[in-house]
Amino acid sequence: MKIPYYIYLILIMFLISCSPDKKEATQNNSLNIINNKYAELFKIQEEEGIKFLTIFDKSGNKKEEYVLIPKAQKIPDSLKQNNIIRTPVEVVVCLSTTHIAFLDILEQTNKIKAVSGSQYIYNGSVREGIESNKIKDVGYENLLDFETLLSLKPDMVTVYDINGSISPTINKLKKFNIPVVQINEYLESSLLGQAEWIKFFAEFFNKRELAKTRFNKISKSYNQMKNLTDTIKNTPTVLVNMPWKGTWYIPGGKSNIAQLVKDAGGNYLWSETKEKHNIPLNIEDVYLKANRADVWLNTGQANSINNVIETDKRLNEFKAIQTNSVYNRNKRLNKSGGNDYMESGTVRPDLILKDLIKILHPELLPEHNLFYYTKLQ
């Protein structure tokens, strides 16, 4: 009896659907993907005890991949040409103060053996290490003290690379077979996305669960603060930053600071713009739009109202100056001007938001004392 063609085709399709590729199934079952809640620029995958960490640039293109293999585990032949880092790491060199904050929240500052720009570091335990000469200063970017750095035999050097400025240093470190890890947290589109890089750092120290616990606490705190402003009707207008050499760099409407002002219940005056980065404007344009702003935030190096006015006499006409509503993020400075806002603030966006809510809507947080911000006098 001849089987009709369509019956034969159905039979083949049925058999195929019931016989999955074993190799594919094994890969899917063994590959563990660690999902992010907010961060967009890194990915963590794990297979058979080996971790694959991928970072991306601001356009979402793959930038680097790091393969983390436990020290007791043999390196597979297929991975020997990759960027391999043995874990847990014990000797770390941080070329950015923000990276110190990530290690601090993971209780790993004792692994830091060298830093860049030691005078600007705020963290207490790291400062003690610097003062006792247990932590070295290896200088800046393309002027690094390679002799000192190499003598430390670091397991990992953390770097940030803005517009390729540190690329020559990265290449030189790689020539000496020093594991270099680029950190792109500053490119994230949200402050919680920046803070979630706690999870990225944690993988190098086998601290995944601690990172998860700490980040969940931070994100919960941030969202609780944000919820306080959901029903407010009054949204004070907000101006940000200071002019520098005749140009006022205003954060775009898609920037972190714009989102932060919105979450704090403020009306950011450039919220309609589409840029994530700063927009260069002349003082006249800012004056026309923002001279009646209710609150002025982040006045650069200015520590007083007089410092602000000295920059340009026209600034004295701004409403925020007249009503004494100017605030700067400079409460936590060390003697050399190192600013903890730029350090621990990276991993504590909830505290930053709390400060801004206190500034814009003090009635919502009557017991809170400003942590990072001060009112200029």
Side-chain angles (χ1 to χ4, degrees), residues 61-107:
N61 301 313
K62 181 178 176 180
K63 182 75 174 177
E64 294 283 352
E65 182 179 70
Y66 307 99
V67 181
L68 278 53
I69 303 178
K71 293 174 181 177
Q73 188 168 338
K74 182 181 178 181
I75 300 175
D77 291 339
S78 60
L79 296 176
K80 287 184 176 178
Q81 301 304 313
N82 293 65
N83 291 331
I84 294 174
I85 297 177
R86 290 296 208 166
T87 57
V89 300
E90 298 293 338
V91 179
V92 181
V93 175
C94 293
L95 299 188
S96 170
T97 58
T98 59
H99 304 166
I100 292 171
F102 287 105
L103 269 66
D104 184 52
I105 203 165
L106 294 169
E107 302 172 2

mmCIF file of all heavy atoms in Angstrom, residues 61-107:
data_model
loop_
_atom_site.group_PDB
_atom_site.id
_atom_site.type_symbol
_atom_site.label_atom_id
_atom_site.label_comp_id
_atom_site.label_asym_id
_atom_site.label_seq_id
_atom_site.Cartn_x
_atom_site.Cartn_y
_atom_site.Cartn_z
ATOM 1 N N ASN A 61 27.555 47.266 21.386
ATOM 2 C CA ASN A 61 28.464 46.351 20.701
ATOM 3 C C ASN A 61 29.407 45.689 21.691
ATOM 4 O O ASN A 61 29.842 46.325 22.657
ATOM 5 C CB ASN A 61 29.277 47.107 19.640
ATOM 6 C CG ASN A 61 28.401 47.772 18.602
ATOM 7 O OD1 ASN A 61 27.483 47.162 18.062
ATOM 8 N ND2 ASN A 61 28.658 49.046 18.334
ATOM 9 N N LYS A 62 29.719 44.435 21.456
ATOM 10 C CA LYS A 62 30.621 43.698 22.342
ATOM 11 C C LYS A 62 31.986 44.372 22.367
ATOM 12 O O LYS A 62 32.586 44.623 21.335
ATOM 13 C CB LYS A 62 30.749 42.245 21.875
ATOM 14 C CG LYS A 62 31.648 41.392 22.749
ATOM 15 C CD LYS A 62 31.676 39.964 22.250
ATOM 16 C CE LYS A 62 32.640 39.114 23.058
ATOM 17 N NZ LYS A 62 32.667 37.709 22.586
ATOM 18 N N LYS A 63 32.474 44.669 23.570
ATOM 19 C CA LYS A 63 33.755 45.350 23.743
ATOM 20 C C LYS A 63 34.854 44.367 24.137
ATOM 21 O O LYS A 63 35.903 44.300 23.498
ATOM 22 C CB LYS A 63 33.607 46.436 24.811
ATOM 23 C CG LYS A 63 34.853 47.272 25.067
ATOM 24 C CD LYS A 63 35.108 48.271 23.978
ATOM 25 C CE LYS A 63 36.258 49.187 24.341
ATOM 26 N NZ LYS A 63 36.576 50.133 23.253
ATOM 27 N N GLU A 64 34.620 43.610 25.195
ATOM 28 C CA GLU A 64 35.600 42.646 25.685
ATOM 29 C C GLU A 64 34.874 41.471 26.327
ATOM 30 O O GLU A 64 33.728 41.595 26.771
ATOM 31 C CB GLU A 64 36.527 43.281 26.731
ATOM 32 C CG GLU A 64 37.444 44.371 26.223
ATOM 33 C CD GLU A 64 38.648 43.838 25.455
ATOM 34 O OE1 GLU A 64 38.856 42.600 25.452
ATOM 35 O OE2 GLU A 64 39.372 44.657 24.862
ATOM 36 N N GLU A 65 35.581 40.336 26.395
ATOM 37 C CA GLU A 65 35.069 39.189 27.142
ATOM 38 C C GLU A 65 36.180 38.660 28.038
ATOM 39 O O GLU A 65 37.332 38.552 27.619
ATOM 40 C CB GLU A 65 34.582 38.080 26.214
ATOM 41 C CG GLU A 65 33.990 36.892 26.986
ATOM 42 C CD GLU A 65 33.478 35.781 26.074
ATOM 43 O OE1 GLU A 65 34.314 35.110 25.439
ATOM 44 O OE2 GLU A 65 32.244 35.596 26.016
ATOM 45 N N TYR A 66 35.822 38.351 29.275
ATOM 46 C CA TYR A 66 36.774 37.816 30.233
ATOM 47 C C TYR A 66 36.301 36.436 30.665
ATOM 48 O O TYR A 66 35.108 36.232 30.929
ATOM 49 C CB TYR A 66 36.890 38.744 31.440
ATOM 50 C CG TYR A 66 37.189 40.166 31.043
ATOM 51 C CD1 TYR A 66 36.172 41.116 30.974
ATOM 52 C CD2 TYR A 66 38.473 40.556 30.676
ATOM 53 C CE1 TYR A 66 36.430 42.417 30.575
ATOM 54 C CE2 TYR A 66 38.744 41.856 30.277
ATOM 55 C CZ TYR A 66 37.716 42.775 30.224
ATOM 56 O OH TYR A 66 37.969 44.060 29.814
ATOM 57 N N VAL A 67 37.244 35.499 30.728
ATOM 58 C CA VAL A 67 36.927 34.129 31.123
ATOM 59 C C VAL A 67 37.517 33.894 32.499
ATOM 60 O O VAL A 67 38.741 33.934 32.677
ATOM 61 C CB VAL A 67 37.494 33.112 30.109
ATOM 62 C CG1 VAL A 67 37.131 31.699 30.536
ATOM 63 C CG2 VAL A 67 36.956 33.400 28.712
ATOM 64 N N LEU A 68 36.657 33.667 33.479
ATOM 65 C CA LEU A 68 37.085 33.488 34.864
ATOM 66 C C LEU A 68 37.092 31.994 35.193
ATOM 67 O O LEU A 68 36.047 31.335 35.144
ATOM 68 C CB LEU A 68 36.149 34.233 35.818
ATOM 69 C CG LEU A 68 36.387 35.738 36.016
ATOM 70 C CD1 LEU A 68 36.446 36.492 34.702
ATOM 71 C CD2 LEU A 68 35.326 36.332 36.925
ATOM 72 N N ILE A 69 38.270 31.491 35.532
ATOM 73 C CA ILE A 69 38.435 30.060 35.804
ATOM 74 C C ILE A 69 39.034 29.884 37.190
ATOM 75 O O ILE A 69 40.061 30.501 37.509
ATOM 76 C CB ILE A 69 39.342 29.394 34.753
ATOM 77 C CG1 ILE A 69 38.770 29.613 33.345
ATOM 78 C CG2 ILE A 69 39.507 27.900 35.041
ATOM 79 C CD1 ILE A 69 39.627 29.040 32.224
ATOM 80 N N PRO A 70 38.420 29.073 38.044
ATOM 81 C CA PRO A 70 38.972 28.836 39.380
ATOM 82 C C PRO A 70 40.423 28.356 39.315
ATOM 83 O O PRO A 70 40.802 27.624 38.397
ATOM 84 C CB PRO A 70 38.056 27.758 39.961
ATOM 85 C CG PRO A 70 36.764 27.929 39.218
ATOM 86 C CD PRO A 70 37.155 28.347 37.838
ATOM 87 N N LYS A 71 41.227 28.770 40.300
ATOM 88 C CA LYS A 71 42.646 28.428 40.290
ATOM 89 C C LYS A 71 42.899 26.927 40.313
ATOM 90 O O LYS A 71 43.905 26.454 39.787
ATOM 91 C CB LYS A 71 43.331 29.106 41.487
ATOM 92 C CG LYS A 71 43.370 30.621 41.375
ATOM 93 C CD LYS A 71 43.925 31.274 42.625
ATOM 94 C CE LYS A 71 43.917 32.797 42.489
ATOM 95 N NZ LYS A 71 44.383 33.475 43.712
ATOM 96 N N ALA A 72 41.992 26.178 40.916
ATOM 97 C CA ALA A 72 42.177 24.729 41.013
ATOM 98 C C ALA A 72 41.709 23.983 39.765
ATOM 99 O O ALA A 72 41.902 22.771 39.652
ATOM 100 C CB ALA A 72 41.437 24.196 42.240
ATOM 101 N N GLN A 73 41.103 24.693 38.840
ATOM 102 C CA GLN A 73 40.535 24.045 37.657
ATOM 103 C C GLN A 73 41.459 24.192 36.453
ATOM 104 O O GLN A 73 42.028 25.263 36.214
ATOM 105 C CB GLN A 73 39.165 24.665 37.348
ATOM 106 C CG GLN A 73 38.375 23.946 36.259
ATOM 107 C CD GLN A 73 36.932 24.428 36.204
ATOM 108 O OE1 GLN A 73 36.416 24.962 37.178
ATOM 109 N NE2 GLN A 73 36.278 24.241 35.075
ATOM 110 N N LYS A 74 41.606 23.144 35.699
ATOM 111 C CA LYS A 74 42.455 23.167 34.517
ATOM 112 C C LYS A 74 41.837 24.048 33.432
ATOM 113 O O LYS A 74 40.626 24.061 33.254
ATOM 114 C CB LYS A 74 42.640 21.744 33.984
ATOM 115 C CG LYS A 74 43.558 21.656 32.765
ATOM 116 C CD LYS A 74 43.682 20.220 32.278
ATOM 117 C CE LYS A 74 44.572 20.150 31.033
ATOM 118 N NZ LYS A 74 44.695 18.761 30.506
ATOM 119 N N ILE A 75 42.694 24.771 32.720
ATOM 120 C CA ILE A 75 42.210 25.621 31.628
ATOM 121 C C ILE A 75 41.982 24.763 30.388
ATOM 122 O O ILE A 75 42.923 24.128 29.887
ATOM 123 C CB ILE A 75 43.225 26.739 31.304
ATOM 124 C CG1 ILE A 75 43.467 27.619 32.534
ATOM 125 C CG2 ILE A 75 42.729 27.588 30.129
ATOM 126 C CD1 ILE A 75 44.549 28.665 32.342
ATOM 127 N N PRO A 76 40.770 24.712 29.879
ATOM 128 C CA PRO A 76 40.509 23.922 28.666
ATOM 129 C C PRO A 76 41.318 24.451 27.482
ATOM 130 O O PRO A 76 41.526 25.657 27.353
ATOM 131 C CB PRO A 76 39.002 24.127 28.441
ATOM 132 C CG PRO A 76 38.457 24.536 29.775
ATOM 133 C CD PRO A 76 39.544 25.322 30.427
ATOM 134 N N ASP A 77 41.782 23.548 26.636
ATOM 135 C CA ASP A 77 42.577 23.948 25.467
ATOM 136 C C ASP A 77 41.831 24.945 24.594
ATOM 137 O O ASP A 77 42.435 25.861 24.026
ATOM 138 C CB ASP A 77 42.957 22.711 24.644
ATOM 139 C CG ASP A 77 43.951 21.821 25.383
ATOM 140 O OD1 ASP A 77 44.628 22.328 26.297
ATOM 141 O OD2 ASP A 77 44.037 20.629 25.040
ATOM 142 N N SER A 78 40.527 24.782 24.503
ATOM 143 C CA SER A 78 39.718 25.643 23.636
ATOM 144 C C SER A 78 39.642 27.084 24.121
ATOM 145 O O SER A 78 39.229 27.975 23.382
ATOM 146 C CB SER A 78 38.297 25.081 23.520
ATOM 147 O OG SER A 78 37.675 25.021 24.799
ATOM 148 N N LEU A 79 40.050 27.338 25.379
ATOM 149 C CA LEU A 79 39.934 28.690 25.945
ATOM 150 C C LEU A 79 41.280 29.361 26.183
ATOM 151 O O LEU A 79 41.329 30.502 26.649
ATOM 152 C CB LEU A 79 39.163 28.636 27.271
ATOM 153 C CG LEU A 79 37.706 28.181 27.205
ATOM 154 C CD1 LEU A 79 37.120 28.086 28.607
ATOM 155 C CD2 LEU A 79 36.866 29.110 26.342
ATOM 156 N N LYS A 80 42.364 28.703 25.876
ATOM 157 C CA LYS A 80 43.683 29.219 26.225
ATOM 158 C C LYS A 80 44.044 30.529 25.540
ATOM 159 O O LYS A 80 44.941 31.247 25.998
ATOM 160 C CB LYS A 80 44.748 28.151 25.935
ATOM 161 C CG LYS A 80 44.723 27.008 26.943
ATOM 162 C CD LYS A 80 45.834 26.005 26.712
ATOM 163 C CE LYS A 80 45.825 24.932 27.800
ATOM 164 N NZ LYS A 80 46.883 23.905 27.584
ATOM 165 N N GLN A 81 43.378 30.851 24.455
ATOM 166 C CA GLN A 81 43.662 32.105 23.760
ATOM 167 C C GLN A 81 42.768 33.255 24.229
ATOM 168 O O GLN A 81 42.884 34.374 23.736
ATOM 169 C CB GLN A 81 43.487 31.912 22.236
ATOM 170 C CG GLN A 81 44.391 30.844 21.635
ATOM 171 C CD GLN A 81 45.862 31.092 21.912
ATOM 172 O OE1 GLN A 81 46.351 32.214 21.733
ATOM 173 N NE2 GLN A 81 46.575 30.070 22.359
ATOM 174 N N ASN A 82 41.899 32.984 25.168
ATOM 175 C CA ASN A 82 40.977 34.015 25.675
ATOM 176 C C ASN A 82 41.622 34.851 26.784
ATOM 177 O O ASN A 82 42.713 34.547 27.253
ATOM 178 C CB ASN A 82 39.698 33.365 26.204
ATOM 179 C CG ASN A 82 38.878 32.723 25.112
ATOM 180 O OD1 ASN A 82 39.310 31.763 24.473
ATOM 181 N ND2 ASN A 82 37.675 33.221 24.891
ATOM 182 N N ASN A 83 40.898 35.930 27.181
ATOM 183 C CA ASN A 83 41.327 36.752 28.325
ATOM 184 C C ASN A 83 40.978 35.998 29.605
ATOM 185 O O ASN A 83 39.865 36.112 30.123
ATOM 186 C CB ASN A 83 40.619 38.112 28.314
ATOM 187 C CG ASN A 83 41.078 38.999 27.186
ATOM 188 O OD1 ASN A 83 42.215 38.896 26.742
ATOM 189 N ND2 ASN A 83 40.197 39.878 26.723
ATOM 190 N N ILE A 84 41.921 35.232 30.109
ATOM 191 C CA ILE A 84 41.659 34.370 31.263
ATOM 192 C C ILE A 84 42.135 35.042 32.548
ATOM 193 O O ILE A 84 43.241 35.578 32.623
ATOM 194 C CB ILE A 84 42.355 33.007 31.093
ATOM 195 C CG1 ILE A 84 41.733 32.252 29.917
ATOM 196 C CG2 ILE A 84 42.238 32.176 32.374
ATOM 197 C CD1 ILE A 84 42.437 30.969 29.560
ATOM 198 N N ILE A 85 41.279 34.994 33.564
ATOM 199 C CA ILE A 85 41.623 35.492 34.896
ATOM 200 C C ILE A 85 41.306 34.387 35.893
ATOM 201 O O ILE A 85 40.197 33.854 35.915
ATOM 202 C CB ILE A 85 40.841 36.774 35.240
ATOM 203 C CG1 ILE A 85 41.224 37.901 34.274
ATOM 204 C CG2 ILE A 85 41.097 37.201 36.680
ATOM 205 C CD1 ILE A 85 40.462 39.183 34.476
ATOM 206 N N ARG A 86 42.296 34.058 36.698
ATOM 207 C CA ARG A 86 42.123 33.019 37.714
ATOM 208 C C ARG A 86 41.424 33.610 38.937
ATOM 209 O O ARG A 86 41.771 34.713 39.396
ATOM 210 C CB ARG A 86 43.473 32.442 38.114
ATOM 211 C CG ARG A 86 44.131 31.605 37.023
ATOM 212 C CD ARG A 86 43.315 30.374 36.708
ATOM 213 N NE ARG A 86 44.153 29.284 36.221
ATOM 214 C CZ ARG A 86 43.758 28.027 36.123
ATOM 215 N NH1 ARG A 86 42.525 27.692 36.491
ATOM 216 N NH2 ARG A 86 44.560 27.103 35.649
ATOM 217 N N THR A 87 40.467 32.865 39.473
ATOM 218 C CA THR A 87 39.686 33.368 40.605
ATOM 219 C C THR A 87 39.786 32.422 41.794
ATOM 220 O O THR A 87 40.024 31.232 41.629
ATOM 221 C CB THR A 87 38.210 33.516 40.197
ATOM 222 O OG1 THR A 87 37.711 32.271 39.725
ATOM 223 C CG2 THR A 87 38.043 34.568 39.124
ATOM 224 N N PRO A 88 39.588 32.967 43.017
ATOM 225 C CA PRO A 88 39.341 34.392 43.308
ATOM 226 C C PRO A 88 40.621 35.208 43.200
ATOM 227 O O PRO A 88 41.700 34.718 43.529
ATOM 228 C CB PRO A 88 38.824 34.372 44.744
ATOM 229 C CG PRO A 88 39.476 33.160 45.352
ATOM 230 C CD PRO A 88 39.565 32.149 44.248
ATOM 231 N N VAL A 89 40.493 36.451 42.754
ATOM 232 C CA VAL A 89 41.671 37.309 42.625
ATOM 233 C C VAL A 89 42.105 37.783 44.015
ATOM 234 O O VAL A 89 41.276 37.969 44.911
ATOM 235 C CB VAL A 89 41.404 38.512 41.694
ATOM 236 C CG1 VAL A 89 41.029 38.046 40.297
ATOM 237 C CG2 VAL A 89 40.322 39.413 42.255
ATOM 238 N N GLU A 90 43.406 37.987 44.172
ATOM 239 C CA GLU A 90 43.962 38.381 45.469
ATOM 240 C C GLU A 90 44.677 39.726 45.428
ATOM 241 O O GLU A 90 44.790 40.400 46.449
ATOM 242 C CB GLU A 90 44.934 37.307 45.965
ATOM 243 C CG GLU A 90 44.304 35.945 46.207
ATOM 244 C CD GLU A 90 43.325 35.934 47.365
ATOM 245 O OE1 GLU A 90 43.429 36.818 48.237
ATOM 246 O OE2 GLU A 90 42.435 35.055 47.383
ATOM 247 N N VAL A 91 45.178 40.106 44.253
ATOM 248 C CA VAL A 91 45.922 41.358 44.120
ATOM 249 C C VAL A 91 45.270 42.205 43.035
ATOM 250 O O VAL A 91 45.252 41.821 41.860
ATOM 251 C CB VAL A 91 47.398 41.093 43.767
ATOM 252 C CG1 VAL A 91 48.148 42.421 43.612
ATOM 253 C CG2 VAL A 91 48.067 40.224 44.828
ATOM 254 N N VAL A 92 44.730 43.354 43.439
ATOM 255 C CA VAL A 92 43.982 44.204 42.516
ATOM 256 C C VAL A 92 44.603 45.596 42.473
ATOM 257 O O VAL A 92 44.990 46.149 43.505
ATOM 258 C CB VAL A 92 42.501 44.320 42.938
ATOM 259 C CG1 VAL A 92 41.725 45.193 41.951
ATOM 260 C CG2 VAL A 92 41.864 42.942 43.058
ATOM 261 N N VAL A 93 44.679 46.157 41.273
ATOM 262 C CA VAL A 93 45.083 47.540 41.077
ATOM 263 C C VAL A 93 43.885 48.292 40.507
ATOM 264 O O VAL A 93 43.337 47.891 39.470
ATOM 265 C CB VAL A 93 46.287 47.663 40.118
ATOM 266 C CG1 VAL A 93 46.603 49.131 39.845
ATOM 267 C CG2 VAL A 93 47.504 46.947 40.692
ATOM 268 N N CYS A 94 43.454 49.359 41.181
ATOM 269 C CA CYS A 94 42.295 50.148 40.736
ATOM 270 C C CYS A 94 42.775 51.478 40.162
ATOM 271 O O CYS A 94 43.399 52.266 40.878
ATOM 272 C CB CYS A 94 41.344 50.418 41.894
ATOM 273 S SG CYS A 94 40.522 48.958 42.552
ATOM 274 N N LEU A 95 42.477 51.707 38.894
ATOM 275 C CA LEU A 95 42.866 52.970 38.270
ATOM 276 C C LEU A 95 41.725 53.983 38.248
ATOM 277 O O LEU A 95 41.781 54.970 37.527
ATOM 278 C CB LEU A 95 43.393 52.715 36.857
ATOM 279 C CG LEU A 95 44.639 51.825 36.761
ATOM 280 C CD1 LEU A 95 45.172 51.797 35.341
ATOM 281 C CD2 LEU A 95 45.730 52.271 37.729
ATOM 282 N N SER A 96 40.679 53.732 39.037
ATOM 283 C CA SER A 96 39.585 54.697 39.196
ATOM 284 C C SER A 96 39.057 54.596 40.619
ATOM 285 O O SER A 96 38.920 53.493 41.166
ATOM 286 C CB SER A 96 38.459 54.408 38.205
ATOM 287 O OG SER A 96 37.310 55.186 38.503
ATOM 288 N N THR A 97 38.756 55.732 41.232
ATOM 289 C CA THR A 97 38.235 55.715 42.599
ATOM 290 C C THR A 97 36.862 55.051 42.671
ATOM 291 O O THR A 97 36.508 54.476 43.704
ATOM 292 C CB THR A 97 38.131 57.144 43.168
ATOM 293 O OG1 THR A 97 37.292 57.938 42.323
ATOM 294 C CG2 THR A 97 39.496 57.796 43.264
ATOM 295 N N THR A 98 36.081 55.116 41.610
ATOM 296 C CA THR A 98 34.765 54.475 41.638
ATOM 297 C C THR A 98 34.886 52.966 41.802
ATOM 298 O O THR A 98 34.038 52.331 42.427
ATOM 299 C CB THR A 98 33.955 54.782 40.359
ATOM 300 O OG1 THR A 98 34.675 54.319 39.216
ATOM 301 C CG2 THR A 98 33.695 56.257 40.218
ATOM 302 N N HIS A 99 35.951 52.383 41.274
ATOM 303 C CA HIS A 99 36.136 50.940 41.394
ATOM 304 C C HIS A 99 36.371 50.538 42.841
ATOM 305 O O HIS A 99 35.992 49.442 43.268
ATOM 306 C CB HIS A 99 37.301 50.481 40.514
ATOM 307 C CG HIS A 99 37.145 50.869 39.075
ATOM 308 N ND1 HIS A 99 38.178 50.822 38.168
ATOM 309 C CD2 HIS A 99 36.067 51.320 38.380
ATOM 310 C CE1 HIS A 99 37.752 51.229 36.983
ATOM 311 N NE2 HIS A 99 36.481 51.544 37.093
ATOM 312 N N ILE A 100 36.969 51.438 43.605
ATOM 313 C CA ILE A 100 37.188 51.172 45.032
ATOM 314 C C ILE A 100 35.853 50.990 45.742
ATOM 315 O O ILE A 100 35.710 50.131 46.617
ATOM 316 C CB ILE A 100 37.985 52.328 45.661
ATOM 317 C CG1 ILE A 100 39.409 52.340 45.105
ATOM 318 C CG2 ILE A 100 38.009 52.223 47.185
ATOM 319 C CD1 ILE A 100 40.221 53.562 45.492
ATOM 320 N N ALA A 101 34.863 51.783 45.360
ATOM 321 C CA ALA A 101 33.544 51.692 45.993
ATOM 322 C C ALA A 101 32.918 50.324 45.773
ATOM 323 O O ALA A 101 32.272 49.776 46.675
ATOM 324 C CB ALA A 101 32.633 52.789 45.445
ATOM 325 N N PHE A 102 33.099 49.756 44.594
ATOM 326 C CA PHE A 102 32.540 48.432 44.318
ATOM 327 C C PHE A 102 33.206 47.362 45.182
ATOM 328 O O PHE A 102 32.540 46.474 45.714
ATOM 329 C CB PHE A 102 32.704 48.086 42.834
ATOM 330 C CG PHE A 102 31.787 48.842 41.932
ATOM 331 C CD1 PHE A 102 32.246 49.887 41.145
ATOM 332 C CD2 PHE A 102 30.435 48.524 41.857
ATOM 333 C CE1 PHE A 102 31.400 50.596 40.316
ATOM 334 C CE2 PHE A 102 29.569 49.226 41.027
ATOM 335 C CZ PHE A 102 30.051 50.263 40.257
ATOM 336 N N LEU A 103 34.524 47.460 45.334
ATOM 337 C CA LEU A 103 35.226 46.494 46.176
ATOM 338 C C LEU A 103 34.865 46.688 47.647
ATOM 339 O O LEU A 103 34.783 45.713 48.407
ATOM 340 C CB LEU A 103 36.743 46.615 45.983
ATOM 341 C CG LEU A 103 37.333 45.704 44.898
ATOM 342 C CD1 LEU A 103 36.844 46.092 43.516
ATOM 343 C CD2 LEU A 103 38.854 45.708 44.945
ATOM 344 N N ASP A 104 34.635 47.922 48.029
ATOM 345 C CA ASP A 104 34.282 48.205 49.417
ATOM 346 C C ASP A 104 32.954 47.566 49.783
ATOM 347 O O ASP A 104 32.829 46.941 50.847
ATOM 348 C CB ASP A 104 34.227 49.718 49.634
ATOM 349 C CG ASP A 104 33.968 50.072 51.090
ATOM 350 O OD1 ASP A 104 34.693 49.560 51.962
ATOM 351 O OD2 ASP A 104 33.045 50.858 51.361
ATOM 352 N N ILE A 105 31.960 47.699 48.926
ATOM 353 C CA ILE A 105 30.642 47.150 49.252
ATOM 354 C C ILE A 105 30.654 45.626 49.243
ATOM 355 O O ILE A 105 29.808 44.972 49.846
ATOM 356 C CB ILE A 105 29.571 47.705 48.284
ATOM 357 C CG1 ILE A 105 28.189 47.617 48.930
ATOM 358 C CG2 ILE A 105 29.598 46.987 46.930
ATOM 359 C CD1 ILE A 105 27.130 48.434 48.234
ATOM 360 N N LEU A 106 31.675 45.048 48.593
ATOM 361 C CA LEU A 106 31.846 43.587 48.581
ATOM 362 C C LEU A 106 32.831 43.111 49.652
ATOM 363 O O LEU A 106 33.189 41.935 49.701
ATOM 364 C CB LEU A 106 32.338 43.133 47.202
ATOM 365 C CG LEU A 106 31.360 43.316 46.045
ATOM 366 C CD1 LEU A 106 32.059 43.073 44.711
ATOM 367 C CD2 LEU A 106 30.165 42.374 46.198
ATOM 368 N N GLU A 107 33.285 44.060 50.487
ATOM 369 C CA GLU A 107 34.197 43.755 51.589
ATOM 370 C C GLU A 107 35.526 43.186 51.074
ATOM 371 O O GLU A 107 36.104 42.268 51.657
ATOM 372 C CB GLU A 107 33.545 42.787 52.583
ATOM 373 C CG GLU A 107 32.252 43.327 53.169
ATOM 374 C CD GLU A 107 31.485 42.304 54.010
ATOM 375 O OE1 GLU A 107 32.007 41.170 54.164
ATOM 376 O OE2 GLU A 107 30.390 42.629 54.484
#
